[in-house]
Amino acid sequence: AQSVTQLDSHVSVSEGTPVLLRCNYSSSYSPSLFWYVQHPNKGLQLLLKYTSAATLVKGINGFEAEFKKSETSFHLTKPSAHMSDAAEYFCVVRVNSGYSTLTFGKGTMLLVSP
Amino acid sequence: NAGVMQNPRHLVRRRGQEARLRCSPMKGHSHVYWYRQLPEEGLKFMVYLQKENIIDESGMPKERFSAEFPKEGPSILRIQQVVRGDSAAYFCASSPGQDPSYGYTFGSGTRLTVV
């Protein structure tokens, strides 16, 4: 079984300040982990993924995430928020064993103020 | 190379009518997944299909919902006799295979409103 917990339903930051979106996962097997972003009334865009290679993963638009097995975490960070980053972010897990589908967290809404 | 195409983008149905949602996967992708997003919630898995086969439908409601992915043409998610609770965004995703390292490519979704 696998599950994802996004610790904050909403995060508010000011433009130019760092972003931290927290994610913890649970998985019976070695996981692959993803972050997706969804802008209002849009589809989901893949930001980055971890698939058992380097634990620090760099994605698009300046985002990165670090896989920490001891903490079962995969937090998403960005050094400096931009207004266009305002969106909903989903942490997603998939187990690396046979067939499995993606399991989504409930999402974190990122609000960016000027 | 077009992405995952879903249509219609918005669909309004009266209670009791049928809703048909279409999904064309990315070129070269033979695995299709349907997810449903209810307000204030993340995406919930519904069904996983490969060409002409349903691999996993464990997330599908037992009644009124069905899905297919024919040899030719798009995948179809069909909801019969819709009720207000079916109002949601339905997303389709595709992947080229079962390797867990594959991220899915998602479509823009179909937003179903039942009135």
Side-chain angles (χ1 to χ4, degrees):
Chain A
Q2 61 205 42
S3 66
V4 176
T5 302
Q6 291 186 244
L7 296 158
D8 306 292
S9 60
H10 293 81
V11 169
S12 295
V13 300
S14 299
E15 192 173 22
T17 64
V19 175
L20 170 64
L21 305 183
R22 298 182 294 166
C23 171
N24 286 100
Y25 70 92
S26 170
S27 174
S28 303
Y29 298 92
S30 170
S32 292
L33 292 155
F34 310 82
W35 277 97
Y36 283 85
V37 60
Q38 184 181 28
H39 289 89
N41 296 315
K42 301 283 187 180
L44 291 100
Q45 181 182 21
L46 179 65
L47 275 180
L48 50 81
K49 63 180 179 180
Y50 164 78
T51 56
S52 77
T55 56
L56 182 61
V57 181
K58 294 187 183 300
I60 61 172
N61 300 336
F63 285 94
E64 62 181 38
E66 186 172 8
F67 172 70
K68 291 188 176 179
K69 186 176 180 179
S70 60
E71 299 176 11
T72 60
S73 69
F74 191 57
H75 301 333
L76 182 69
T77 60
K78 183 173 180 177
S80 176
H82 192 272
M83 294 296 290
S84 61
D85 294 329
E88 189 156 25
Y89 292 78
F90 293 97
C91 183
V92 182
V93 65
R94 185 180 188 186
V95 298
N96 296 338
S97 175
Y99 141 71
S100 70
T101 60
L102 302 183
T103 298
F104 280 75
K106 290 194 172 183
T108 298
M109 184 66 72
L110 177 64
L111 307 170
V112 183
S113 57
Chain B
N1 185 12
V4 177
M5 305 300 293
Q6 288 189 252
N7 66 81
R9 291 291 301 276
H10 300 275
L11 182 61
V12 179
R13 284 288 177 266
R14 296 186 184 279
R15 282 178 294 173
Q17 291 184 320
E18 177 180 289
R20 290 170 69 88
L21 288 62
R22 295 175 182 76
C23 168
S24 296
M26 282 189 70
K27 186 176 181 180
H29 288 194
S30 59
H31 299 244
V32 166
Y33 313 81
W34 285 93
Y35 283 76
R36 176 166 63 175
Q37 184 179 33
L38 295 168
E40 308 295 324
E41 292 190 20
L43 278 71
K44 301 291 187 186
F45 168 75
M46 298 183 74
V47 62
Y48 162 39
L49 310 104
Q50 293 183 30
K51 281 287 187 181
E52 300 184 273
N53 290 305
I54 295 175
I55 307 301
D56 181 353
E57 56 182 347
S58 59
M60 289 272 273
K62 298 299 181 193
E63 297 176 351
R64 302 188 297 107
F65 285 71
S66 62
E68 63 177 8
F69 188 16
K71 186 176 181 180
E72 301 291 337
S75 175
I76 305 287
L77 179 67
R78 183 181 178 204
I79 311 172
Q80 295 178 290
Q81 300 173 330
V82 295
V83 301
R84 287 245 171 91
D86 297 332
S87 295
Y90 293 82
F91 288 93
C92 169
S94 71
S95 71
Q98 256 305 310
D99 190 313
S101 67
Y102 292 130
Y104 295 2
T105 302
F106 281 85
S108 296
T110 293
R111 284 155 181 82
L112 172 65
T113 303
V114 180
V115 298

